[in-house]
Amino acid sequence: MALTQERKQELISEFGDNDQDTGNTRVQVALLTERINQLTEHLRSNQKDHHSRRGLLMLVGRRRRLLNYLQRSNLESYRSLVKELGLRK
């Protein structure tokens, strides 16, 4: 259920400036999105897992705050990231 090291490295290299750029806001949002998607799949088969649901809501809130920061600081980067991750309908 956790993110594998290989998948995490793929996301870091795709959304970061280099392979060591884990603090970049784009990378953090991409990693959170991956974890959110995995937790969503878990909760589809385990509807009564309320502890994981709380964790999911906390991750969504953290991602929302990071996206708000990115939108304030770099609007073009925000728009491209939302499009790449498919966050908005």
Side-chain angles (χ1 to χ4, degrees), residues 21-77:
D21 193 14
T22 58
N24 192 335
T25 308
R26 292 174 50 88
V27 173
Q28 291 182 35
V29 171
L31 291 173
L32 283 172
T33 300
E34 186 73 19
R35 286 179 60 196
I36 287 169
N37 290 339
Q38 288 179 355
L39 259 178
T40 302
E41 288 302 315
H42 168 77
L43 288 171
R44 285 203 174 105
S45 60
N46 301 288
Q47 291 92 5
K48 295 186 179 185
D49 189 358
H50 298 295
H51 291 85
S52 293
R53 188 172 311 281
R54 180 177 185 270
L56 173 67
L57 291 174
M58 289 170 41
L59 289 176
V60 169
R62 187 182 308 164
R63 182 179 70 180
R64 180 74 254 156
R65 287 190 299 273
L66 284 170
L67 284 171
N68 285 342
Y69 165 75
L70 189 60
Q71 187 177 19
R72 282 193 318 267
S73 61
N74 190 350
L75 188 59
E76 278 306 311
S77 178

